[in-house]
């Protein structure tokens, strides 16, 4: 990486264009992990091995919205565009969410954060209790918001995804007389979606910050790496949204000098310091 002025944000060329590329292994893991968790849940569930089944459901929830689906929203995997849209539809549909409502709201979040019309980032402007309550209505809220944008090129996707999600949820409920496995799956996925505003908006953003460097918290250290499975790189993502999530740790390493020069203090353990 070339040197840069401490007051000038590094360009992607200076950071390295290799950050945009995934190895075949990383690409396979990105697409394969949620598929594996999905299949394993039903294998374990069919045998009533509930503990590993629940762990797989948690893994599926984690590796979709904030990982694979997130890369698909930003089209960061460099795959065929049509395949990208179908995979986004599939991975979010099996977790009872609209992939393209997510896409619209998330890209708008990048464009309009920290404005009042940022529907995805709204929880960041709420007190903790209200942010927790937001989880119960969040998916419906962003779906209705996205559905109202009728001029969007994804409008038909969003309509179909709503129908598919309702149909899948009804199937899970109507299957109760025969097996509880799909219904338990539905409950676990809904529970997984409940914490999204808390984790992806409230905990990581500081919308009152003066600049974009101060409006998102910077996290470092083994503690946060472990509890978030190397995903707490939200400031880095806001600055360079075109970098796929598998490359976030490397992106963070290359930005450490820049953050230090800007006086951005990372949060390393609960309560030690905050990005203000």
């Amino acid at each position: 990486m070339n040197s840069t002025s401490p007051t000038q944000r590094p360009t992607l060329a200076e950071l390295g264009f290799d950050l945009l590329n995934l190895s075949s292994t990383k690409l396979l893991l990105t697409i394969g992990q949620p598929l594996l968790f999905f299949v394993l849940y039903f294998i374990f569930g069919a045998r009533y091995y509930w503990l590993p089944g629940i762990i797989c459901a948690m893994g599926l929830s984690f590796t979709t919205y904030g990982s694979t689906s997130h890369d698909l929203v930003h089209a960061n995997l460099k795959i065929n565009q049509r395949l990208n849209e179908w995979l986004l539809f599939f991975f979010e549909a099996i977790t009872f969410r609209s992939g393209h409502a997510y896409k619209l709201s998330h890209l708008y979040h990048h464009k309009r954060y920290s404005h009042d019309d940022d529907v995805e980032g709204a929880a960041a402007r709420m007190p903790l209790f209200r942010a927790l309550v937001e989880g119960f209505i969040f998916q419906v809220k962003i779906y209705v918001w996205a559905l109202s944008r009728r001029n969007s090129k994804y409008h038909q996707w969003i309509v179909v995804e709503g129908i598919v999600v309702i149909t899948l949820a009804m199937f899970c409920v109507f299957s109760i007389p025969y097996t509880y496995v799909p219904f338990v799956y539905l409950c676990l996925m809904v529970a997984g979606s409940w914490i999204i505003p808390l984790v992806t908006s409230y905990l990581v953003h500081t919308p009152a910050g003066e600049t974009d460097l101060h409006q998102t918290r910077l996290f470092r250290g083994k503690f946060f790496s472990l509890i978030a499975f190397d995903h707490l790189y939200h400031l880095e993502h806001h600055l360079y949204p075109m970098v796929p999530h598998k490359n976030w740790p490397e992106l963070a390493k290359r930005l450490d000098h820049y953050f230090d020069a800007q006086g951005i203090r990372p949060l390393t353990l609960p309560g030690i310091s905050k990005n203000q």
Side-chain angles (χ1 to χ4, degrees):
M1 180 180 69
N2 298 329
S3 62
T4 185
S5 167
T7 60
Q8 179 183 352
R9 185 176 305 169
T11 65
L12 193 57
E14 291 169 326
L15 290 171
F17 285 120
D18 59 302
L19 290 169
L20 299 179
N21 301 316
L22 291 177
S23 66
S24 298
T25 300
K26 285 184 177 181
L27 179 59
L28 181 61
L29 285 172
T30 298
I31 296 175
Q33 282 176 325
L35 284 172
L36 180 63
F37 283 128
F38 177 70
V39 172
L40 285 178
Y41 168 82
F42 286 98
I43 291 176
F44 288 128
R47 291 162 174 76
Y48 300 103
Y49 297 154
W50 289 117
L51 180 58
I54 290 172
I55 292 173
C56 288
M58 292 171 61
L60 174 60
S61 186
F62 181 83
T63 56
T64 49
Y65 196 91
S67 303
T68 301
S69 297
H70 186 256
D71 281 338
L72 294 168
V73 161
H74 286 284
N76 286 341
L77 299 183
K78 294 188 174 180
I79 58 177
N80 175 272
Q81 183 179 353
R82 194 66 176 172
L83 177 60
N84 187 95
E85 302 307 329
W86 277 105
L87 286 176
L88 178 60
F89 161 79
F90 174 76
F91 284 128
E92 288 299 286
I94 62 174
T95 50
F96 305 97
R97 300 185 294 253
S98 166
H100 288 83
Y102 173 26
K103 183 168 186 171
L104 277 187
S105 64
H106 187 68
L107 295 181
Y108 196 78
H109 166 67
H110 276 270
K111 180 182 178 181
R112 293 289 295 172
Y113 173 73
S114 55
H115 292 78
D116 290 341
D117 61 348
D118 172 18
V119 64
E120 183 179 298
R125 302 185 296 272
M126 300 175 180
L128 176 58
F129 176 76
R130 179 62 182 84
L132 289 170
V133 173
E134 181 77 357
F136 291 105
I137 61 173
F138 182 67
Q139 292 303 320
V140 174
K141 187 176 178 180
I142 65 171
Y143 182 80
V144 171
W145 176 87
L147 193 63
S148 69
R149 302 176 73 84
R150 296 182 180 274
N151 293 330
S152 166
K153 64 180 179 179
Y154 301 116
H155 186 72
Q156 289 186 337
W157 280 102
I158 294 167
V159 171
V160 171
E161 285 165 351
I163 295 171
V164 169
V165 166
I166 292 173
T167 302
L168 290 176
M170 291 175 61
F171 170 80
C172 292
V173 173
F174 291 145
S175 67
I176 290 176
Y178 310 101
T179 174
Y180 284 99
V181 175
F183 181 70
V184 172
Y185 174 76
L186 169 64
C187 293
L188 291 171
M189 290 299 102
V190 171
S193 294
W194 167 65
I195 66 170
I196 287 175
L198 176 70
V199 173
T200 66
S201 183
Y202 178 84
L203 293 178
V204 296
H205 291 125
T206 52
E210 295 179 357
T211 70
D212 55 355
L213 288 177
H214 299 84
Q215 292 174 345
T216 305
R217 291 187 172 95
L218 179 67
F219 297 88
R220 287 292 184 272
K222 292 183 179 180
F223 174 79
F224 289 117
S225 179
L226 286 173
I227 66 169
F229 298 97
D230 247 354
H231 273 60
L232 271 182
Y233 298 103
H234 209 75
L235 176 55
E236 294 86 345
H237 170 62
H238 266 271
L239 298 178
Y240 303 92
M242 69 292 293
V243 175
H245 83 275
K246 291 289 187 185
N247 289 342
W248 285 347
E250 181 59 31
L251 172 64
K253 291 178 183 177
R254 300 184 191 185
L255 284 171
D256 274 340
H257 175 71
Y258 169 69
F259 290 141
D260 184 62
Q262 296 300 309
I264 306 298
R265 296 175 296 163
L267 182 64
T268 55
L269 280 175
I272 286 185
S273 65
K274 291 186 177 181
N275 177 17
Q276 300 176 350

